[in-house]
Amino acid sequence: MPDLDLNLLVALHALLETNSVTQAAERLNTSPPAMSRTLGRLRRVYGDPLLVRAGRQLVPTPRALELRFEVSALVEQGRALLAKPDTVDPAALVRGFALHVDDAVLPELAARLLTEVRAQAPGVTLRFVPGDTAASANALRDGSIDVQVGVIAQADPQTRVERVRGDRLIGVAAPRHPLVTERVTVAAYAAAAHISISARGIARGPIDDRLALHGRTRRVVATVPDLTTALLAVRSGAAVCPAPAVVAATALPALGLCSFEIPLPLPEVTISLAWHPRNTPDPAHAWLRTLVRTVLAASDPVTGTPPGGKIVRVPSG
């Protein structure tokens, strides 16, 4: 194939990620006119305009959207093949990392991850940034955050998502609440006042689906955006809320709250780690991913040690 030019794939990758000739040129250290000419070549190769003007912006055509994932995967595989098999010395690493961690995981992860980073890589700084899951997909793509940790139901097709561990939901109530002091039945659980947790303000969830199988509904008296708010509200004794078992084990004693088993077969709470493929071969990024995995696995309610247990060092990768 004498006319095969793999650099066209690299250029197409940059164009489809940025939707901008200027930004793609900056990423590839070339000039906008040169990148514009490359876009012209790509249009002739594919017989499609790929990017078209919409007001003051360029937007991808349906054909470009079809190509985006495959081109991204090919370019990242090529980079991985050409990358040197390098390692990193955490003790000599000077770098900052931005992380978006779900509220349901943050209390468990932040302190232990910071402790490990201070011990292994004192030159590394961590920045925990707010944001919802949808925004995190874009932030991973544009480099605003390095990793996302938590329950990731939907992700950008380009994002690497790796299951780290499973968790389960338990009920949380004030010490003298009937669901703590008395036998918990489906009827008693459904009759309680409930606080729902949803960053998007959605009150209904898997608990409601399981109750419906028993012909019952619950009364959601409030919907709050995060677990911390829910736990503080539960302290009043007027309502109950669900919480991941691992987080509850560390947070409930400090808040003076109690847990109880929810009398329903609920689906697993899957905790995942996500990052953009361009960071896969980066040794420093690989070290951070390994450290996050290790911290979370040490708290696995099934296979790991309880919170506060010893963390076993795992080689970066």
Side-chain angles (χ1 to χ4, degrees):
M1 302 177 68
D3 57 347
L4 178 64
D5 185 355
L6 294 181
N7 285 323
L8 285 176
L9 290 179
V10 177
L12 180 58
H13 177 54
L15 286 164
L16 295 183
E17 276 208 330
T18 62
N19 289 338
S20 167
V21 171
T22 301
Q23 293 180 31
E26 291 175 354
R27 178 177 294 189
L28 299 183
N29 296 316
T30 188
S31 66
M35 182 57 66
S36 183
R37 290 192 294 272
T38 300
L39 177 57
R41 290 182 61 191
L42 288 165
R43 285 168 169 167
R44 291 191 293 273
V45 168
Y46 286 101
D48 186 276
L50 299 177
L51 294 173
V52 296
R53 179 85 40 197
R56 304 178 70 176
Q57 297 179 327
L58 293 177
V59 296
T61 65
R63 176 59 173 151
L65 292 175
E66 293 175 356
L67 292 169
R68 179 176 284 173
F69 176 74
E70 293 181 0
V71 170
S72 175
L74 285 172
V75 170
E76 295 303 333
Q77 289 173 13
R79 287 175 177 167
L81 288 172
L82 295 174
K84 295 188 297 182
D86 202 0
T87 58
V88 64
D89 178 11
L93 187 61
V94 179
R95 182 163 167 179
F97 293 101
L99 305 88
H100 168 55
V101 183
D102 279 5
D103 176 72
V105 183
L106 186 59
E108 167 201 356
L109 178 64
R112 302 185 72 204
L113 183 62
L114 180 58
T115 299
E116 290 299 312
V117 167
R118 295 303 301 159
Q120 298 185 34
V124 167
T125 57
L126 302 178
R127 183 166 59 92
F128 293 92
V129 299
D132 57 28
T133 302
S136 294
N138 295 328
L140 286 170
R141 187 168 57 246
D142 64 27
S144 300
I145 62 174
D146 295 288
V147 296
Q148 177 186 355
V149 183
V151 179
I152 305 174
Q154 295 180 335
D156 189 293
Q158 299 176 17
T159 302
R160 290 285 303 274
V161 179
E162 173 188 308
R163 181 190 183 278
V164 179
R165 68 132 202 262
D167 203 344
R168 63 189 184 91
L169 288 177
I170 61 171
V172 178
R176 289 182 293 276
H177 194 282
L179 292 180
V180 173
T181 60
E182 302 173 11
R183 179 170 174 265
V184 181
T185 64
V186 174
Y189 180 68
H194 291 259
I195 295 176
S196 182
I197 304 167
S198 171
R200 295 182 294 168
I202 300 174
R204 186 177 177 86
I207 291 176
D208 301 279
D209 296 336
R210 297 306 187 276
L211 283 173
L213 296 177
H214 292 267
R216 298 185 181 274
T217 60
R218 62 175 180 157
R219 172 165 164 69
V220 176
V221 298
T223 303
V224 299
D226 54 67
L227 178 62
T228 302
T229 303
L231 294 177
L232 292 175
V234 166
R235 295 180 70 185
S236 68
V240 301
C241 77
V246 171
V247 174
T250 57
L252 298 195
L255 294 172
L257 296 172
C258 298
S259 65
F260 62 88
E261 293 295 326
I262 298 175
L264 298 166
L266 297 175
E268 176 190 76
V269 178
T270 302
I271 307 301
S272 300
L273 171 67
W275 69 94
H276 194 275
R278 67 169 171 273
N279 291 317
T280 299
D282 178 6
H285 199 280
W287 167 80
L288 175 67
R289 298 195 303 268
T290 297
L291 195 57
V292 170
R293 293 186 195 103
T294 306
V295 169
L296 290 176
S299 301
D300 193 313
V302 177
T303 62
T305 59
K310 183 179 180 181
I311 293 179
V312 179
R313 297 292 188 272
V314 178
S316 63

